[in-house]
Amino acid sequence: MTDDERTIYYSKAVNEALDEELARDDSVILMGEDIGCYGGAFGVTKGLYEKYGAERIWETPISENSFVGVAVGAAMMGLRPVVEIMFMDFLALALDQLLNSAGKLHYMYNGQVTVPMVLRTPGGAKGGYGPSHSQMLSNLLVGIPGIKVVAPSTPAQVKGILKAAIRDPNPVVVIENKRLYPQRGYVAAGDYVLPLDKAEVAAAGKDITLISYSSMTPVCLAVKEALKPVGIDLEVLDLISLQPLDKESIFASVRKTGRVIIVEEACLTGGVAAEVSALISEHCLDALEAPIIRVAAADMPIPSALALEKFVLPQAEDIVAAVKRIQEY
Amino acid sequence: MNDLISNSDLLRMYRQMVSIRAFEESLSDMFGKGLLGGTSHFCIGQESCAVGVISAARDDDWLISNHRGHGHLLARGLDIARVMGELMGKLSGYCGGRGGSQHLSAIDHCFLGTNGITGGGIPIATGAALALKYRKSSSIAIVFFGDGASNQGTFHESLNMASLWKLPVLYVCENNLYGMSNPVSKSCASGNVAVRASAYAMRGETHDGFDVEHVHRVAGEALARIRAGEGPELLELMTYRQCGHSKNDARVYRTREEEARMAERDCLLLTANSLRRRGLSQEDIDAAAEAARQDVAAAAEAAMAAPTGGRRHALDGLFA
Ligand SMILES: Cc1ncc(C[n+]2csc(CCOP(=O)(O)OP(=O)(O)O)c2C)c(N)n1
Ligand SMILES: [Mg+2]
């Protein structure tokens, strides 16, 4: 197969990871709504039901709290359930089992059990889905002890990360993104896994660091390209892992450029950007040549109308404006 | 049917019930002396539910319990000193003091865990049953919860899924007439819990939970049907908690008359009567009770002597 043929959609990369893990390990099962012949709301699980059947692909009723709890129970008994929550907003209905069971059981039962489950869910706005189908809720998750949280931004990342998550003995939330599903990228053939706790320099630069994850990484990369002609050399650090944060990579980039803009699709207040910013202030204040800037969604519900959505969500222009500000400081 | 339970079996069940009662009386004592932190939920009066069901189960049937779990833990035969130690926050406890009464598991005893979230254990048990079915095991998941928990979405969602998927799970509702202060008449529109099973095409029965022999028999029958592949069931046991909901409860929501009336159906009294009717001597009955109390006293002493964990034990072990 040529490299060109291995340029696949993000959604296909997720599908491949699931397919390969289902084939590799019979303790892996999938659970979620409409993930059977329908293939999931975003077509991510297409073909898996036909291939693995009802014994491996558990199509659940619309009962988020309980089927996440069912996954916890099955995981405690040694299965490796991979649960799909159709839209990240619906995670609210399952938060109890994530917060009170999945994240706590290994610790509170003193290591007698592990909870090797994965919860995958698409966050973020796709344009016009409106208030209950558009949020990036990474901010809710990173405050839950005992849960690993990753938000890969490319097809290659999501495949290796999801496979690693499935093999990890701990609960892992994999935040996918509706805007990333139709994006393409090169994905190596065959089996590989990526570390769950490492950031990646998506593009090296020397003037200013843009720190981002999920859907905002491609936007940051586009801004980097757009500003190249005017002589601004941006570094883009893709976090990938939100819990734990790869502090070493963050600090290394900050020490290199001395100027930091953190970009995320979640609300401004109390989010990942706020946490990264706090870490930098604690550990690298001496390296900063300008105050840290956060570019994030407004602390608002996301309106349906496309004409309105762009005022709430972070846009490329907002990043460009932040670059200007930080340069002029 | 009662002759299914031999005299020695019933005497053993009696001894277990007494040890559960003595265990909680001992805890009550420790609270009084300031030896225990937090709170605890006693099952005084409900021991027959735990002992009746668990004595009918196989040792490899998995148990899941709620906040009122001491009876279930002891009926499964856990080491009393280690349960006590857990409540006292000792390293010798089953969870090294990290879990306490409401978060206690003992995997070696197929005890998946007690659970501090009302209704939280119900989907977990359902998932355990899913795993058992997936692995073609002949074990069953048995989950205990209260009437109050049957108003949680997790109860309804889980019963629905278990019935759809014919999972090997027995849902045991100990209906003690109250969820904290809230009487069933004000919380369950259906009046009783068992009828709710019919909405999920599941067998649901209400039974007298005071009579340990009866509980043992009906639970055994339900477990046999489930093991034969007939699908999950809901078993509602009518019972009464003679004590308050937790440590501090003035019980303003019920009358002392009601309590006195219900105390006449105390499961220890009923079982002792039955043993006498079966011809056992008062001496033998008293000896069993005394042995149980001594077990608990010895366990309390051992637990008291055990050390607590330190900083590392508090901060390590979040991830596997
Ligand atoms: C989600 C949740 N809500 C409320 C509580 C507080 N709480 C603990 S036990 C209890 C009553 C439960 O009643 P029931 O299920 O009937 O069990 P019982 O206490 O009668 O054994 C309540 C309200 C809790 N622990 N978890
Ligand atoms: Mg109750």
Side-chain angles (χ1 to χ4, degrees), chain B residues 49-50 53-54 57 61-68 72 110-115 117-129 140-146 149 154-155 158-159 162 168-174 202 223 226 232-237:
Chain B
C49 299
V53 172
I54 293 168
D61 287 336
W62 285 84
L63 304 182
I64 295 88
S65 170
N66 60 355
H67 57 287
R68 203 176 297 289
H72 312 129
C110 292
F111 202 111
L112 212 49
T114 58
N115 196 305
I117 301 297
T118 303
I122 301 176
I124 292 177
T126 307
I140 292 171
I142 304 171
V143 56
F144 295 89
F145 53 92
T154 51
F155 167 85
S158 294
L159 264 67
V169 50
L170 177 61
Y171 297 98
V172 182
C173 177
E174 295 184 36
M202 186 185 292
L223 289 167
I226 296 168
E233 297 195 17
L234 171 61
L235 175 61
E236 178 182 26
L237 301 173

Side-chain angles (χ1 to χ4, degrees), chain B residues 66-68 116-118 146-149 152 176 178-180 241 245:
Chain B
N66 60 355
H67 57 287
R68 203 176 297 289
I117 301 297
T118 303
D147 44 280
Q152 286 283 27
N176 58 9
Y178 298 88
M180 218 155 143
R241 111 175 107 65
H245 165 73

